[in-house]
Amino acid sequence: MAEPPVRLLIADDHPIVRDGIRGMFAGDPEFEVLGEAGDGAQAVELAQALNPDVILMDLRMPGTDGVTAIKELARRGNAARVLVLTTYDTDRDVLPAIEAGATGYLLKDTGRDELVRAVRTAARGEAVLSPSVATRLLGRVRTPADPLSARELEVLRLIAEGATNRETAARLFISEATVKSHVLHIYTKLGVNDRAAAVATAFRRGLLTLDNG
C-alpha cells in the first residue's frame, strides 16, 4: 500500500519564492502542497487549520517572523515539523531557530533533490541541516562562546530583575552609555537580539540561577 503524501505548507513573504518552491513539488505524488503563507502569523493559522506534516519556513518576514512562528506552533502543540528555508546562516539566525524547535535548517540555494530528501527526512522527525549550518553548529560546540565578564554578569542579573538601563547604571554607579555597551556585548556573546532572549539563554546555560539575587 502506497504511503500517503507528505503534506506541505510554504511560508515566505516573497510570492515568487513560494511559486518556485511549489513548483519543485508540483506533479510529485509523494507530496501535497496544502497552502502558502506570506508571514509567520498566517503560517501559524494555516498550520492549525490544515495540519501539514512539514512547514517550509522563511525566517525574516514582515510582521511575525519565522522564529516567533516556530515558538507559537510549539506553544500550541502543533505537530508539524518546521524546516527552515532561508538565505541566512549566521549564529543570530540559526541558533534561535533551532532552539525554538525547528527540525531542520536549509539555505535557499539548496537544489531540488536535496530539498526533497530534506522534507522526507523532516517528515520522519529527523534533523536535517545544510552543510554550512552543520559546520557552524559544530564550531559552537567545539569552541564555547566568549564568557561574560563579571561586570556583564552584573548587568545581566539586573536585566533579569527587570531593571532599565538607567536603573542599572544608577545601581552599578556607571553611565547609561556604558550599560548600553555592556548589553550589546551580552547580546553578541549569547547570540540573541533582545533582553528577554538574553535572560532565557543565560538561565538555560546556567549563567543565571534563581538564587542569583
Side-chain angles (χ1 to χ4, degrees):
M1 186 175 178
E3 290 281 327
V6 176
R7 297 166 301 165
L8 299 174
L9 175 64
I10 301 167
D12 194 289
D13 58 319
H14 294 101
I16 193 168
V17 173
R18 298 199 302 269
D19 289 346
I21 296 171
R22 178 184 282 273
M24 289 185 179
F25 295 95
D28 190 329
E30 294 186 19
F31 301 95
E32 179 185 359
V33 178
L34 301 178
E36 300 177 12
D39 60 38
Q42 188 180 15
V44 170
E45 295 308 315
L46 286 177
Q48 293 293 100
L50 302 176
N51 294 313
D53 299 306
V54 176
I55 302 172
L56 291 167
M57 181 84 73
D58 189 17
L59 287 185
R60 300 189 186 182
M61 296 180 284
T64 303
D65 62 26
V67 170
T68 302
I70 295 168
K71 291 177 179 177
E72 180 62 17
L73 288 165
R75 189 188 71 79
R76 296 191 185 195
N78 193 285
R81 310 292 184 178
V82 178
L83 183 56
V84 171
L85 189 61
T86 186
T87 308
Y88 309 97
D89 66 350
T90 66
D91 283 357
R92 288 195 174 194
D93 292 295
V94 174
L95 297 176
I98 298 298
E99 290 174 352
T103 300
Y105 198 111
L106 295 178
L107 301 182
K108 286 182 177 176
D109 59 3
T110 300
R112 181 192 181 277
D113 291 347
E114 186 180 349
L115 180 59
V116 166
R117 284 195 301 272
V119 169
R120 289 197 188 104
T121 300
R124 295 194 299 268
E126 299 172 17
V128 55
L129 299 170
S130 70
S132 65
V133 170
T135 299
R136 185 175 293 278
L137 290 177
L138 282 173
R140 294 282 296 196
V141 172
R142 291 170 180 160
T143 308
D146 292 338
L148 297 184
S149 69
R151 178 63 88 186
E152 287 163 354
L153 280 171
E154 286 181 311
V155 171
L156 188 55
R157 289 188 190 106
L158 291 173
I159 289 175
E161 293 174 11
T164 64
N165 286 349
R166 179 171 296 178
E167 291 166 344
T168 299
R171 290 174 66 173
L172 297 180
F173 302 103
I174 56 179
S175 71
E176 193 171 345
T178 300
V179 172
K180 290 179 180 177
S181 177
H182 285 315
V183 170
L184 289 176
H185 287 150
I186 291 167
Y187 288 177
T188 299
K189 289 181 178 181
L190 297 183
V192 299
N193 296 308
D194 59 52
R195 295 164 75 92
V199 172
T201 300
F203 273 110
R204 188 168 57 251
R205 294 187 185 178
L207 299 173
L208 293 177
T209 60
L210 293 175
D211 58 358
N212 268 142

